[in-house]
Amino acid sequence: MATSLVAFQGERGSFSEEAIYKLLGRRVRVLPCETFINTFEAVTRGRANYCLVPIENTLAGSIYENFDLLLSNQLHIVNEVNLRIVHNLIALPGTVRKQVRQVYSHPVALAQCSRFFAKNPQVERIPFYDTAGSIKMITERKLEGAAGIASRIAAEVYKARILATHLEDH
C-alpha cells in the first residue's frame, strides 16, 4: 500500500486524511477532492487506487450520500477504520487563546463544540465549507484574532499552532 494513491473529500489536513494515515500509515500518497462525488470519480476514472470516505458519524449520523455513491459506482468496501474525532482550536503561530475572537469551521464541527462556545461567548462562530479548509484560509490570509476547528493534521500541514484540544468536551 505504500505506493497507493488514496482519494478523500476535503482539503489537506482533513479528518479523512487523518483516517487514511491511521489505516495505512504515513507513506501512502493522498489526493484531496472537492466533493464526495469527485472522490469516487477519482477511483472509477483511474486517478486513484482507493478512496476513503466517512459513512457514519456518531454525533451527526449516517452519511447517506456516500452509501448511495458506493452503490452507484459499484465499488466495494475493502477495509474500515474508526477514528475518534478530536477537535482542535488552531491559529497562526504566536497566537494565544485569549486573542481569538472568531472561529471558522464546518457547521457540524462548530455544533459539536457547543460547550466551548457556551464558555466563550465573546468568540464568534463562522461556518466554513471544510474544517481543514478553515485552517488553510486563516494561514493564507494571515488572519489575526481568528482560529479554526480542525484536526491535528491540519495544524501540521498548514504550519499552524494548536491552542486547545478536545473542544467537544469543553
Side-chain angles (χ1 to χ4, degrees):
M1 279 284 210
T3 59
S4 294
L5 181 61
V6 182
F8 66 95
Q9 185 277 324
E11 297 285 352
R12 286 289 321 274
S14 72
F15 287 108
S16 290
E17 183 176 354
E18 188 174 335
I20 290 168
Y21 294 146
K22 180 179 179 186
L23 180 65
L24 302 171
R26 293 292 282 228
R27 291 178 18 157
V28 69
R29 295 179 304 133
V30 295
L31 176 65
C33 298
E34 187 175 335
T35 66
F36 289 128
I37 291 170
N38 298 144
T39 304
F40 280 85
E41 285 176 348
V43 176
T44 61
R45 293 185 179 174
R47 291 191 315 269
N49 305 99
Y50 302 96
C51 65
L52 184 138
V53 295
I55 58 169
E56 281 295 320
N57 179 311
T58 56
L59 297 176
S62 295
I63 301 160
Y64 296 110
E65 178 182 4
N66 288 335
F67 284 109
D68 293 341
L69 287 166
L70 186 64
L71 290 171
S72 65
N73 286 286
Q74 299 181 344
L75 297 179
H76 304 283
I77 296 171
V78 296
N79 212 332
E80 72 176 293
V81 62
N82 291 309
L83 180 69
R84 184 180 190 291
I85 301 299
V86 175
H87 293 106
N88 300 282
L89 186 67
I90 303 170
L92 295 173
T95 302
V96 293
R97 191 169 163 175
K98 69 181 181 181
Q99 294 173 313
V100 174
R101 293 290 174 250
Q102 299 174 320
V103 174
Y104 296 82
S105 196
H106 190 276
V108 172
L110 293 172
Q112 290 172 336
C113 297
S114 60
R115 287 188 200 142
F116 167 79
F117 290 106
K119 291 180 181 178
N120 297 278
Q122 76 284 5
V123 176
E124 178 185 8
R125 308 175 208 213
I126 303 174
F128 205 71
Y129 74 95
D130 185 65
T131 57
S134 70
I135 308 306
K136 179 181 180 182
M137 182 270 299
I138 288 166
T139 58
E140 286 178 346
R141 294 183 186 173
K142 300 188 183 343
L143 291 182
E144 294 184 15
I149 295 173
S151 74
R152 65 178 178 76
I153 301 284
E156 288 176 25
V157 168
Y158 301 107
K159 297 177 179 34
R161 179 173 183 225
I162 295 176
L163 304 177
T165 191
H166 294 281
L167 293 185
E168 62 279 358
D169 298 332
H170 286 175

